[in-house]
């Protein structure tokens, strides 16, 4: 009997597959379907701070167009941003409560934030609603040309949230950092119990016929895991918290590679869209088959086996080695 | 209400008005200073509940009326939601025919004494006045004059009752006795309908009684207006919750053929910050209702309201001003407004802010509470404030408050009143199957006649607007009355 169980941010998972935050984790029907197909935990669709700000903007525009809604001296509209946040959060808290009531697997709430204003208080409410953990998906726009210290904001948000709640807090970060290793290190020292590498952004493309911008790949492709693999391998033994791999995880082989590099778990989303929710059971079967074929009984036997510290040529994961490799190609 | 320019022109061309205009040259009229409303001394009034504004004397009123140049194109009327013939009533005051001035007001406004006190004229009729628009000078004090005429009539004992059409015995129900309900009831009864106003509370008047304090709008002023409606034949039933005490179907079975819902926006909202449930933290709705309507500030009251020494009121609107000034009158040594934007962005009327400042209210602008703390008994004893700065303007052009990091500090408080807005009363929307509701919980209506998608149900005031002014609610009530009349004539009578 193969034991695929793993521990991630203090949660006991029956296998390393977590359903990543996406539209598929936004309603209770899909959440139950994901559980019945074998995912070990679910990260609920993020509550997006940007979306709330957009809603506020839309409402104000709508109010200005509506001759009946009174805005001039209205106290309600004066505090509308707070009320929209409250309403959005209440819907989200209800989803957490429902998911906890109707499933047995860990439910991880997710906040996608761009500022460090009120999210710490929201985190407390999310904890009270019963979430087993919280994932902070901090998105600071890398095209910002100001001298704002993004890394500092990451650390501040994480510090504030971890101070307020007692549930595990993981941080999902982007790969756009001056020194990713430093950021990962600092986050692990700040109180984050897990770091998810990396989140994926909207990618624009150009349609040459229509001469207009289009959206490139909606979903990740199966080669996108490589950069994640490299950073998991580089950092997994250097920090005191768990790492989860995300982006480009489309097959059992990729899952095994990430675990070998040192990931405690993986997060999948695109493959669920492309191959369906029931593909989770295929991934799990293939995972077991590989373990069996290579005579492993426990996932922990392979975890970190090929992390940077464990391999004979540690520089293989670093950039210098990368440069040397390409300089040899004529 | 008529907005017919021909009608206004014919009225303006009447002999008495032509003669009045010729008595004083426009140059002289426009060179006069706007009258200043006499007020109680701030240090006296902040210890009593008597009205702050004392009202104009006859001489002051006539002098102010003389400032009005009786424009050929009276733009002021366009700023009035109920379309009062403003130049006509002002010219009656100039002619010292004060009772006719009051009668003119009542042609389109069933609550002139109320509107003269609480309407934000500075953003309505006075904002459209020739003085404001063209001369860039203070507008004619239309609100002060309205109050003067209404008060004069009341004090004279010669209150005019508008003409009532012959009773047609068609029953119409009005739900809610606030300004919208009263205005609709007044118009409908004038048209000959049998009007019943159903009120959930034990007192008639809605927000005029429970929301606006005595020092701004004395209850006996409201009662006089309500009694006028009674004399006109409006029936009032209190302690009756439509949707609970009786359903719409029950009322239809009793013969009501149309309904006007003006059930208000009485559901308070909070900021949802930690500690907001501690004892001593109220919504402004609860605080003002208990003091204004229930008498909870009286010594012999069974469940008295708390009396705070250090009271913080969160918010910057008129309700916040009413709350903080009430707290001051009930003995607060330190009564504070905590508002996250600057003084310039406050939604409260300038007059209310000015009065509050005079009365010793402390304004803590660019501050927002982030947490409350309590003593062992659970009574709030401290609030944590975060300083704010104003960031980029949002889509409405107002600058967004942005928290300053590491700027938190604590202030001792023993009472907090949260006044950050309200939600529409959900009772009626949830009691009518298929009623079209907006995503803000308000009833969706046709703005021309205030009719909802349920043909016999009309709505107006805060339940449609989400939180408006007395006069806008009244305008809705009048529109709805006309809409109900048209509906009944088309569907039942013809």
């Amino acid at each position: 009997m193969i034991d695929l169980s793993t521990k991630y941010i203090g949660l006991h998972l029956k296998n390393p597959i977590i359903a990543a935050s996406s539209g598929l984790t936004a309603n209770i029907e899909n959440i139950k379907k994901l559980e019945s197909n074998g995912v070990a935990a679910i990260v609920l669709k993020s509550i997006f701070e940007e979306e709330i700000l957009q809603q506020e903007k839309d409402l104000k525009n709508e109010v200005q167009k509506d001759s009946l809604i009174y805005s001039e001296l209205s106290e309600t509209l004066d505090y509308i941003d707070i009320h929209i946040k409250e309403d959005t959060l209440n819907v989200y808290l209800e989803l957490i409560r429902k998911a906890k009531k109707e499933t047995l697997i860990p439910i991880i709430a997710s906040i996608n934030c761009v500022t460090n204003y009120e999210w710490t208080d929201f985190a407390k409410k999310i904890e009270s609603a019963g979430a087993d953990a919280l994932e902070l998906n901090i998105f600071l726009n890398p095209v910002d040309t100001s001298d704002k210290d993004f890394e500092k904001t990451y650390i501040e948000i994480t510090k504030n949230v971890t101070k307020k709640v007692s549930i595990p807090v993981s941080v999902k970060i982007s790969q756009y950092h001056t020194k990713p290793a430093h950021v990962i290190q600092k986050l692990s020292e700040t109180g984050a119990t897990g770091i998810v590498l990396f989140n994926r952004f909207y990618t624009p493309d150009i349609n040459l016929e229509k001469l207009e911008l289009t959206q490139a790949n909606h979903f990740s492709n199966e080669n996108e895991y490589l950069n994640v693999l490299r950073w998991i391998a580089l950092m997994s033994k250097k920090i005191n918290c768990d790492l989860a791999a995300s982006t480009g995880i489309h097959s059992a082989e990729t899952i095994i590679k990430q675990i070998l590099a040192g990931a405690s778990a993986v997060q999948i989303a695109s493959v669920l869209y492309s191959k369906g929710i029931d593909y989770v059971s295929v991934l799990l079967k293939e995972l077991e088959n590989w373990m069996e074929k290579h005579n492993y009984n426990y996932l922990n036997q392979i975890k970190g086996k090929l992390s940077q510290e464990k391999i004979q040529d540690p520089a293989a994961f670093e950039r210098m080695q990368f440069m040397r490799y390409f300089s040899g190609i004529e | 209400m008529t907005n017919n320019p021909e009608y206004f022109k014919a009225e303006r061309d009447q002999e008495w008005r032509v003669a009045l205009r010729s008595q004083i040259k426009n140059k002289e009229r426009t060179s006069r200073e706007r009258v200043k409303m006499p007020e109680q001394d701030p240090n006296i009034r902040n210890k009593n509940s008597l009205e702050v504004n004392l009202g104009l004397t006859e001489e002051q009123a006539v002098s102010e009326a003389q400032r009005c140049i009786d424009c050929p194109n009276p733009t002021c009327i366009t700023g009035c939601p109920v379309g009062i013939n403003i130049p006509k009533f002002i010219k009656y005051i100039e002619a010292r025919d004060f009772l006719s001035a009051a009668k003119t007001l009542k042609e389109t406004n069933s609550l002139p004494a109320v509107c003269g006190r609480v309407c934000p004229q500075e953003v309505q009729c006075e904002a459209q006045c020739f003085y404001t628009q063209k001369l860039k000078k203070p507008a004619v004090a239309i609100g002060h004059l309205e109050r003067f005429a209404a008060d004069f009539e009341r004090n004279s004992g010669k209150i005019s009752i508008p003409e009532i059409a012959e009773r047609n015995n068609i029953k119409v129900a009005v739900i809610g006795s606030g300004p919208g309900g009263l205005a609709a009831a007044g118009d409908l009864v004038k048209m000959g309908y049998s009007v019943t106003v159903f009120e959930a509370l034990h007192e008639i008047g809605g927000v005029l009684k429970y929301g606006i304090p005595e020092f701004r709008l004395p209850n006996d002023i409201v009662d006089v207006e309500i009694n006028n409606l009674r004399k006109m034949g409006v029936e009032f039933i209190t302690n009756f919750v439509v949707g609970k005490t009786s359903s719409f179907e029950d009322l239809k079975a009793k013969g009501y053929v149309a309904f006007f819902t003006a059930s208000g926006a009485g559901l308070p909202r909070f900021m949802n910050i930690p500690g907001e449930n501690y004892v001593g933290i109220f919504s402004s709705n609860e605080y003002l209702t208990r003091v204004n309507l229930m008498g909870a500030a009286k010594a012999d009251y069974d469940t008295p309201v708390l009396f705070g020494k250090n009271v913080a009121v969160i918010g910057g609107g008129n309700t916040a001003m009413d709350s903080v000034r009430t707290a001051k009158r009930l003995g607060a040594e330190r009564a504070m407004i905590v508002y996250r934007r600057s003084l310039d962005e406050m939604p409260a009327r300038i007059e209310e802010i000015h009065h509050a400042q005079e009365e010793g209210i402390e304004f803590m602008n660019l501050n927002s509470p982030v947490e409350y703390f309590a003593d062992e008994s659970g009574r709030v004893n401290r609030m944590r404030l975060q300083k704010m700065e104003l960031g980029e303007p949002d889509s409405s052009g107002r600058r967004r408050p942005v928290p300053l990091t590491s700027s938190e500090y604590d202030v001792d408080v023993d009472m907090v009143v949260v006044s950050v807005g309200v939600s529409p009363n959900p009772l009626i929307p949830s009691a009518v199957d298929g009623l079209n509701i907006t995503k803000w919980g308000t009833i969706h209506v046709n703005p021309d006649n205030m009719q909802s998608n349920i043909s016999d149900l009309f709505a107006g005031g805060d339940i449609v607007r989400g939180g408006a002014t007395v006069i806008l609610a009244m305008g809705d009530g009048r529109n709805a009355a006309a809409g109900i009349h048209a509906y009944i004539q088309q569907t039942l009578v013809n």
Side-chain angles (χ1 to χ4, degrees):
Chain A
M1 181 73 185
I2 305 294
D3 180 3
L4 292 178
S5 68
T6 180
K7 236 180 158 187
Y8 171 62
I9 59 172
L11 304 172
H12 180 80
L13 306 185
K14 60 185 177 186
N15 66 60
I17 301 178
I18 299 172
S21 174
S22 74
L24 290 175
T25 61
N27 67 68
I28 195 68
E29 287 71 34
N30 280 340
I31 289 169
K32 282 159 76 175
K33 206 170 162 194
L34 284 161
E35 181 188 34
S36 65
N37 278 281
V39 298
I42 286 169
V43 186
L44 298 180
K45 183 177 185 331
S46 294
I47 182 168
F48 274 80
E49 186 180 9
E50 273 186 311
E51 210 172 337
I52 291 172
L53 294 173
Q54 187 60 42
Q55 272 187 55
E56 183 193 333
K57 201 173 158 189
D58 292 347
L59 171 67
K60 283 181 177 162
N61 286 337
E62 210 167 297
V63 161
Q64 279 160 2
K65 278 185 224 147
D66 189 330
S67 62
L68 282 178
I69 298 282
Y70 185 71
S71 60
E72 206 146 0
L73 304 178
S74 165
E75 288 163 325
T76 310
L77 285 165
D78 194 32
Y79 279 86
I80 199 68
D81 51 332
I82 286 178
H83 302 325
I84 288 175
K85 272 181 199 159
E86 184 197 333
D87 293 346
T88 310
L89 187 68
N90 283 340
V91 171
Y92 197 66
L93 297 179
E94 195 45 44
L95 178 66
I96 295 172
R97 285 186 204 106
K98 230 178 191 169
K100 280 307 295 172
K101 199 174 154 198
E102 300 195 22
T103 64
L104 294 170
I105 54 176
I107 297 296
I108 303 169
S110 170
I111 292 176
N112 185 311
C113 48
V114 292
T115 66
N116 61 352
Y117 303 154
E118 294 100 351
W119 295 104
T120 48
D121 295 329
F122 284 5
K124 212 156 171 52
K125 285 176 187 157
I126 281 170
E127 178 180 34
S128 304
D132 295 290
L134 175 63
E135 184 175 284
L136 294 173
N137 191 343
I138 304 170
F139 176 62
L140 303 173
N141 196 343
V143 299
D144 188 325
T145 53
S146 72
D147 58 359
K148 203 159 44 178
D149 188 340
F150 278 9
E151 280 76 12
K152 200 174 152 199
T153 308
Y154 267 79
I155 304 300
E156 267 176 14
I157 295 175
T158 309
K159 204 187 271 179
N160 288 342
V161 171
T162 51
K163 245 192 328 196
K164 288 265 178 177
V165 297
S166 53
I167 52 174
V169 176
S170 60
V171 185
K172 191 171 190 176
I173 64 170
S174 87
Q175 52 188 308
Y176 301 111
H177 290 283
T178 317
K179 289 197 287 181
H182 175 72
V183 173
I184 294 167
Q185 184 82 48
K186 285 296 280 182
L187 283 172
S188 78
E189 289 166 6
T190 302
T193 42
I195 300 169
V196 184
L197 307 179
F198 292 108
N199 54 15
R200 194 167 178 278
F201 300 126
Y202 166 86
T203 37
D205 197 356
I206 290 174
N207 181 318
L208 291 177
E209 291 307 313
K210 293 181 179 171
L211 289 183
E212 60 183 31
L213 274 186
T214 57
Q215 181 171 351
N217 301 322
H218 210 79
F219 301 119
S220 68
N221 68 51
E222 55 195 19
N223 293 323
E224 282 183 57
Y225 75 90
L226 288 165
N227 194 39
V228 176
L229 183 74
R230 169 187 155 106
W231 283 100
I232 295 274
L234 279 171
M235 300 308 296
S236 62
K237 296 289 175 191
K238 290 194 178 76
I239 57 174
N240 290 324
C241 71
D242 294 331
L243 291 177
S246 177
T247 299
I249 319 280
H250 287 238
S251 66
E253 285 81 6
T254 316
I255 296 172
I256 294 159
K257 286 178 188 177
Q258 299 291 5
I259 304 290
L260 284 167
S264 301
V266 298
Q267 294 195 1
I268 60 171
S270 293
V271 72
L272 296 173
Y273 281 102
S274 60
K275 295 192 175 164
I277 288 176
D278 49 10
Y279 190 65
V280 176
S281 48
V282 178
L283 291 174
L284 287 169
K285 190 73 210 147
E286 287 177 4
L287 205 54
E288 278 183 358
N289 290 345
W290 186 90
M291 298 270 290
E292 211 168 335
K293 187 178 166 192
H294 293 83
N295 295 320
Y296 293 113
N297 293 320
Y298 306 101
L299 201 71
N300 268 345
Q301 288 174 286
I302 65 165
K303 187 184 163 193
K305 207 173 165 59
L306 293 176
S307 64
Q308 192 190 31
E309 279 74 8
K310 295 279 181 74
I311 57 174
Q312 283 183 347
D313 180 12
F317 282 114
E318 292 180 6
R319 191 161 184 264
M320 282 305 288
Q321 182 62 23
F322 190 73
M323 296 288 280
R324 260 184 241 134
Y325 172 75
F326 274 104
S327 65
I329 297 176
E330 302 265 315
Chain B
M1 70 196 85
T2 177
N3 276 321
N4 183 351
E6 295 302 315
Y7 165 77
F8 291 129
K9 188 178 179 310
E11 292 268 313
R12 185 178 181 270
D13 288 345
Q14 285 185 6
E15 218 171 290
W16 69 273
R17 274 173 75 174
V18 175
L20 206 58
R21 281 198 297 275
S22 67
Q23 284 175 13
I24 305 172
K25 286 186 173 153
N26 278 352
K27 197 174 173 189
E28 192 191 330
R29 290 181 190 273
T30 55
S31 65
R32 295 189 186 178
E33 293 290 312
R34 176 179 158 123
V35 70
K36 192 176 178 318
M37 170 65 83
E39 296 166 356
Q40 271 199 79
D41 181 88
N43 282 321
I44 295 172
R45 72 181 190 233
N46 66 11
K47 296 172 194 70
N48 68 45
S49 62
L50 301 175
E51 209 177 350
V52 170
N53 287 341
L54 300 173
L56 302 181
T57 62
E58 284 186 24
E59 291 317 310
Q60 283 174 318
V62 171
S63 173
E64 183 62 20
Q66 287 169 345
R67 287 183 73 223
C68 172
I69 60 170
D70 200 4
C71 302
N73 175 26
T75 46
C76 52
I77 299 175
T78 63
C80 176
V82 295
I84 292 173
N85 189 341
I86 293 168
K88 183 180 170 187
F89 100 79
I90 291 179
K91 290 301 110 181
Y92 271 132
I93 292 176
E94 184 178 336
R96 293 185 175 269
D97 185 354
F98 306 134
L99 289 177
S100 293
K103 202 172 172 186
T104 304
L105 287 166
K106 285 186 176 174
E107 286 170 5
T108 55
N109 183 351
S110 48
L111 309 172
V114 171
C115 293
R117 285 169 166 82
V118 300
C119 270
Q121 289 96 4
E122 66 275 14
V123 294
Q124 295 178 335
C125 52
E126 292 182 12
Q128 303 303 321
C129 173
F130 178 77
Y131 279 74
T132 316
Q133 294 281 321
K134 302 287 181 201
L135 303 180
K136 308 297 172 202
K137 284 183 171 181
V140 172
I142 300 167
H144 295 350
L145 292 173
E146 182 181 24
R147 172 192 161 140
F148 168 80
D151 285 359
F152 181 90
E153 186 198 43
R154 189 180 64 256
N155 295 331
S156 73
K158 296 173 188 162
I159 295 177
S160 64
I161 302 296
E163 271 180 45
I164 310 287
E166 197 183 328
R167 282 292 185 98
N168 58 22
N169 295 321
I170 298 173
K171 290 169 84 174
V172 178
V174 171
I175 301 157
S177 68
L182 295 179
D187 274 17
L188 286 163
V189 83
K190 276 195 262 183
M191 292 175 206
Y193 294 100
S194 298
V195 182
T196 308
V197 177
F198 295 97
E199 168 56 51
L201 296 174
H202 61 286
E203 282 262 8
I204 306 293
V207 73
L208 303 174
K209 284 274 186 72
Y210 73 74
I212 305 175
E214 281 279 304
F215 57 83
R216 276 218 295 139
L217 178 63
N219 282 347
D220 57 8
I221 303 279
V222 183
D223 285 335
V224 169
E225 311 271 23
I226 291 166
N227 280 337
N228 286 344
L229 290 170
R230 275 205 179 94
K231 285 178 194 160
M232 289 159 68
V234 175
E235 181 191 12
F236 290 96
I237 299 180
T238 53
N239 299 309
F240 194 104
V241 183
V242 174
K244 294 283 177 195
T245 315
S246 281
S247 68
F248 279 90
E249 295 311 315
D250 295 335
L251 293 175
K252 280 179 192 172
K254 286 182 180 165
Y256 291 96
V257 297
F259 300 85
F260 174 62
T261 296
S263 50
L267 197 64
R269 302 211 69 146
F270 285 88
M271 291 179 72
N272 275 297
I273 57 176
E276 223 171 15
N277 287 326
Y278 285 132
V279 177
I281 302 181
F282 299 81
S283 69
S284 51
N285 295 49
E286 181 190 348
Y287 183 61
L288 291 173
T289 303
R290 291 184 67 188
V291 174
N292 296 339
L293 190 69
M294 321 291 283
K298 292 175 188 159
D300 58 346
Y301 192 71
D302 284 344
T303 52
V305 74
L306 290 175
F307 292 82
K309 288 286 170 211
N310 293 310
V311 180
V313 175
I314 316 302
N318 287 321
T319 318
M321 295 304 140
D322 286 344
S323 301
V324 77
R325 294 171 71 197
T326 298
K328 185 77 184 170
R329 281 160 173 77
L330 295 183
E333 287 162 10
R334 193 177 181 198
M336 301 161 263
I337 281 286
V338 178
Y339 183 59
R340 60 187 183 150
R341 293 184 169 94
S342 76
L343 209 59
D344 292 340
E345 281 86 21
M346 278 192 160
R349 289 184 70 191
I350 293 166
E351 185 186 44
E352 303 309 326
I353 295 171
H354 174 66
H355 280 162
Q357 285 171 325
E358 283 182 338
E359 289 167 12
I361 305 301
E362 197 177 325
F363 280 71
M364 302 177 77
N365 285 88
L366 293 168
N367 277 283
S368 189
V370 289
E371 189 166 2
Y372 299 106
F373 301 91
D375 60 21
E376 316 77 56
S377 65
R379 168 91 184 253
V380 65
N381 63 3
R382 198 158 43 95
M383 65 177 172
R384 180 155 297 160
L385 297 182
Q386 182 167 40
K387 290 186 179 169
M388 317 290 278
E389 62 179 352
L390 292 179
E392 296 295 312
D394 62 18
S395 56
S396 64
R398 300 178 78 211
R399 294 177 68 190
R400 181 187 293 280
V402 179
L404 283 169
T405 46
S406 309
S407 65
E408 295 175 359
Y409 65 104
D410 291 357
V411 175
D412 287 343
V413 286
D414 54 1
M415 202 176 107
V416 175
V417 180
V418 182
S419 186
V420 298
V422 288
S423 290
N425 187 332
L427 199 59
I428 301 294
S430 62
V432 182
D433 283 343
L435 183 62
N436 199 346
I437 307 294
T438 68
K439 58 181 159 179
W440 324 120
T442 55
I443 297 176
H444 184 77
V445 295
N446 174 350
D448 296 332
N449 60 5
M450 312 310 285
Q451 189 173 28
S452 74
N453 63 316
I454 309 286
S455 59
D456 57 2
L457 181 62
F458 295 71
D462 287 0
I463 191 68
V464 164
R465 296 176 182 272
T469 61
V470 167
I471 193 72
L472 280 171
M474 288 178 64
D476 290 349
R478 300 205 67 220
N479 258 339
I484 288 170
H485 178 60
Y487 164 75
I488 291 174
Q489 296 303 310
Q490 283 160 17
T491 57
L492 302 174
V493 177
N494 294 335

